[in-house]
Amino acid sequence: MRYLLLCLAFLLGAQAPALAAEGEGVDVKEIVLGHMADAYEWHITSYEGKHLSIPLPVIVRSEQTGEWHCFLSSTMEEAVEEGHDYMGFFFNEEKNGKIYERLADGRVVRPWDLSFTKSVCQIWIVVFIMLAIFLYCAHWYKKHDPKKDAPKGFVGAVEMLVMAINDDLIKDSIGEKHYRPYAPYLLTAFFFILITNLLGLLPIFPGGANVTGNINITFFLALCTMLAINLFGNKEYWKEIFWPDVPAFLKAYPVAIMPIIELFGVFTKPFALMVRLFANMMAGHAIILSFTAIIFIGWSLNAALGSGLTLLSFIMMLFMNCLEFLVAFIQAYVFTMLSAVFIGLAHPEHHKE
């Protein structure tokens, strides 16, 4: 990975003088937000004004006819380059490049869009990686007796990680009586976030997508935790929300202050999970891309400043990638830990014991 980053930094440094010589402006917003945003293609690299990308399937429902259409994003891009829409669909740059439809009466609407975007493809890649890891480990355990033959190498590392998360985190946070039904979800969430974060650090395919920096993804993960907390919480949990052990005037007449605060907490806990993971991962990618933009800004001013800023940005990019490698694990661990703690709070008898 470090060699890839070295190549990336030198490539950026080599392209920056050319951009400065051509007098092209540096759009920092496009560099940062463009790379972090979702897309209908998987951009690989650019060379002499030409873009090498993997087109992805576009699946949209026309508001005009009610029919579903499926085509490659490259087909639509060719139509846009020729100056016309493709079956009425076009990329709306004012709406972050999302697909919109131009109706016969001149109105522009957002159709139903079930396309395989870059983030969706990254999620499926993570799913296949997780299946490969777990099936490989299951195959090893099927052929060996773990009581006689301890796993080594890759299987041993996976077992160590699973045992650490399951025994030291999930079991202790939820309680030995109740942790088993939640362990599969929490372990899946941990490995999904961890692998997604690590793939996001790769500068080339099949990595580079900012999946956990997409608030839609973190919203869904937080929603799953919220459902696990509230759908399976026991009577004691709901009693502490609507009739907590506080003086009567705080939970009844004239204003039920504590029940309102506790009910508000039902939504703030998953909201905190969503924002924490989204903000930390998005910020890391934004900082790394900002250091990349500094290279172009320096060369657009003069060669001496560009050379100095290229070296400085290269060092800072390496430092931030090392830091992000650590953050990738920490954020997966923190999300799992807080989810387990919140689920444990839905079974208060564990804490009373």
Side-chain angles (χ1 to χ4, degrees):
M1 176 179 172
R2 293 293 167 260
Y3 293 107
L4 292 174
L5 292 170
L6 283 168
C7 294
L8 175 64
F10 281 115
L11 284 173
L12 290 173
Q15 292 175 1
L19 290 175
E22 295 172 4
E24 295 186 9
V26 180
D27 191 347
V28 178
K29 180 180 179 181
E30 175 62 26
I31 292 176
V32 177
L33 298 183
H35 284 75
M36 293 173 59
D38 202 1
Y40 294 94
E41 63 179 8
W42 202 305
H43 183 264
I44 304 298
T45 187
S46 299
Y47 181 72
E48 295 183 351
K50 297 181 180 180
H51 301 288
L52 176 61
S53 304
I54 301 175
L56 300 175
V58 174
I59 305 173
V60 289
R61 180 182 181 274
S62 172
E63 295 291 332
Q64 183 78 29
T65 63
E67 298 178 352
W68 286 93
H69 300 277
C70 182
F71 50 87
L72 290 177
S73 59
S74 58
T75 305
M76 191 169 170
E77 288 178 356
E78 292 174 359
V80 172
E81 291 177 358
E82 295 173 359
H84 60 84
D85 300 338
Y86 183 76
M87 294 189 295
F89 300 106
F90 68 100
F91 295 113
N92 193 336
E93 299 301 332
E94 297 179 356
K95 301 294 183 179
N96 298 321
K98 297 297 183 182
I99 293 179
Y100 275 71
E101 182 180 10
R102 207 184 311 273
L103 303 181
D105 57 5
R107 291 185 297 119
V108 174
V109 298
R110 180 86 164 96
W112 281 90
D113 190 353
L114 301 179
S115 304
F116 282 80
T117 61
K118 183 179 179 179
S119 294
V120 174
C121 291
Q122 182 78 92
I123 290 173
W124 278 106
I125 291 173
V126 173
V127 169
F128 288 128
I129 291 175
M130 291 175 65
L131 285 174
I133 292 173
F134 298 141
L135 290 177
Y136 176 77
C137 293
H139 179 73
W140 186 94
Y141 283 107
K142 187 177 180 180
K143 288 192 172 184
H144 297 79
D145 185 359
K147 294 181 180 180
K148 299 179 181 179
D149 186 10
K152 299 178 182 179
F154 179 75
V155 178
V158 173
E159 181 185 280
M160 178 190 68
L161 195 56
V162 170
M163 296 297 291
I165 299 299
N166 184 74
D167 295 346
D168 299 335
L169 193 155
I170 299 175
K171 185 186 294 186
D172 290 346
S173 299
I174 300 178
E176 192 168 354
K177 293 182 180 179
H178 306 286
Y179 84 95
R180 291 185 182 276
Y182 303 102
Y185 160 67
L186 293 172
L187 284 169
T188 302
F190 172 79
F191 279 99
F192 173 80
I193 296 173
L194 177 62
I195 297 174
T196 301
N197 291 347
L198 292 177
L199 279 181
L201 296 177
L202 294 176
I204 60 173
F205 181 85
N210 187 31
V211 175
T212 47
N214 186 329
I215 200 166
N216 297 308
I217 306 300
T218 59
F219 167 78
F220 178 77
L221 291 172
L223 179 64
C224 292
T225 297
M226 180 180 176
L227 293 176
I229 296 170
N230 296 285
L231 290 182
F232 306 104
N234 58 18
K235 295 180 180 179
E236 185 69 19
Y237 166 71
W238 291 107
K239 177 183 176 297
E240 289 186 358
I241 292 177
F242 293 105
W243 198 257
D245 293 330
V246 296
F249 71 91
L250 292 176
K251 57 185 177 183
Y253 180 83
V255 179
I257 297 177
M258 290 306 299
I260 293 175
I261 294 175
E262 293 291 339
L263 188 61
F264 189 67
V266 171
F267 301 97
T268 56
K269 290 173 184 175
F271 179 79
L273 284 175
M274 174 186 71
V275 174
R276 177 181 283 105
L277 179 59
F278 159 72
N280 279 281
M281 299 314 300
M282 183 191 69
H285 284 266
I287 292 172
I288 293 173
L289 291 168
S290 297
F291 282 124
T292 305
I294 290 175
I295 298 174
F296 293 94
I297 294 174
W299 281 102
S300 66
L301 298 176
N302 59 70
L305 183 61
S307 300
L309 289 179
T310 297
L311 179 61
L312 175 63
S313 298
F314 168 68
I315 296 173
M316 293 304 297
M317 286 168 64
L318 284 181
F319 170 76
M320 284 303 303
N321 273 276
C322 293
L323 183 62
E324 281 295 295
F325 186 83
L326 178 62
V327 171
F329 175 82
I330 291 176
Q331 289 305 314
Y333 186 90
V334 169
F335 184 93
T336 309
M337 178 186 67
L338 291 178
S339 296
V341 169
F342 294 154
I343 292 173
L345 292 174
H347 302 277
E349 70 275 5
H350 162 60
H351 301 280
K352 290 182 179 180
E353 291 173 2

